Amino acid sequence: MAETFVLITGAWHGGWAWRPVAQHLRASGHTVHTPTLPGVADGDDPTGLHLSDVVDFVVEYVESRDLHDVTLVGHSWGGYPITGAAPRLASRLKKVVYWSAFVPAAGRSLYDEVPPPYQELFAGVAAASGNNTVTLPFEVFRDGFIADAPEAVQKLVHDLLVPHPMQYFTETVEPIDPATLGVPVAYVFSVDDVALPPGEYGWVPRFPERLGVTAIEAPGSHEAMFTQPAGLAEALLKA
């Protein structure tokens, strides 16, 4: 049965990043939307934008296209906008899927959920940026996000990343209550994902437990949309 997917990217990425996964999903007969969020399109002015603007954008995107039975997927930081949007879109959703994503808790921003070295990196880079944005040093991206790709691919993807508004990392959204949302939720985890180090700050079991679900495994790293798109598409369908 054909599904309608709305795929929400993580930090630094635009909708372009989903293309390899979207091609696999569309080849299986599904409809796929891959919007680029405000503040992370090439050339966007990030000043004056807030996380609430991103949530509003996701809601408006779905409503303005009159989409129904939507599988709403969020990757990494994308867990924040989909969490904010899900209660407002509940009547239009088929399910909500977090892929190697943050599952927000009450009063906690992404900045609160990452290890201290990331906090120091983000704060320092944002302060030096002139517009309160964060960029990832290549070495951090290579080793933590996309170690399963050849160096040429690592460099190409890194060159395509867009500075991310720091306020998107420090602002919060209300968490969802899966029991009252009225929409199934799932968590997909890429087994080689070390963007958050295993242990206290790891993706699992911390975030699936917040949803009360067992994680579904997918192959690849944090950037599996490039390195394992077929396997990731399969896991999203299984979720």
Side-chain angles (χ1 to χ4, degrees):
M1 182 177 174
E3 296 190 35
T4 298
F5 286 86
V6 175
L7 307 179
I8 302 300
T9 54
W12 304 290
H13 296 67
W16 51 269
W18 285 112
R19 186 176 180 189
V21 174
Q23 287 179 315
H24 285 284
L25 293 173
R26 289 173 182 141
S28 297
H30 306 292
T31 299
V32 185
H33 297 260
T34 60
T36 294
L37 304 176
V40 288
D42 188 34
D44 272 4
D45 179 2
T47 58
L49 289 169
H50 296 278
L51 184 55
S52 58
D53 295 317
V54 184
V55 173
D56 290 343
F57 174 89
V58 174
V59 172
E60 191 275 337
Y61 186 94
V62 173
E63 291 182 341
S64 66
R65 289 159 180 79
D66 197 25
L67 303 180
H68 292 273
D69 295 322
V70 170
T71 297
L72 182 63
V73 179
H75 177 223
S76 196
W77 163 81
Y80 279 84
I82 70 167
T83 295
R88 295 165 59 183
L89 293 173
S91 65
R92 295 175 177 269
L93 299 181
K94 180 177 181 180
K95 57 187 171 183
V96 178
V97 181
Y98 294 79
W99 163 47
S100 285
F102 293 85
V103 177
R108 292 185 64 82
S109 67
L110 181 145
Y111 186 83
D112 298 321
E113 302 280 14
V114 299
Y118 274 145
Q119 294 180 340
E120 295 167 9
L121 172 65
F122 292 173
V125 172
S129 69
N131 62 356
N132 199 39
T133 59
V134 177
T135 54
L136 270 183
F138 173 70
E139 294 76 15
V140 174
F141 180 70
R142 176 195 64 200
D143 297 341
F145 288 66
I146 193 169
D148 57 341
E151 184 177 9
V153 174
Q154 294 170 338
K155 289 182 176 179
L156 174 61
V157 176
H158 183 261
D159 285 345
L160 292 171
L161 300 181
V162 175
H164 198 78
M166 178 64 168
Q167 63 269 24
Y168 290 0
F169 288 155
T170 57
E171 295 174 352
T172 63
V173 298
E174 285 297 311
I176 60 169
D177 178 2
T180 60
L181 182 63
V183 179
V185 297
Y187 198 94
V188 173
F189 170 65
S190 288
V191 294
D192 295 322
D193 187 344
V194 293
L196 288 181
E200 177 185 0
Y201 290 99
W203 302 104
V204 294
R206 177 168 58 144
F207 294 128
E209 286 180 348
R210 289 186 184 175
L211 297 172
V213 301
T214 300
I216 296 167
E217 293 187 349
S221 64
H222 196 65
E223 299 290 302
M225 71 272 276
F226 302 113
T227 63
Q228 294 282 351
L232 177 56
E234 182 180 350
L236 295 178
L237 289 170
K238 185 185 300 182

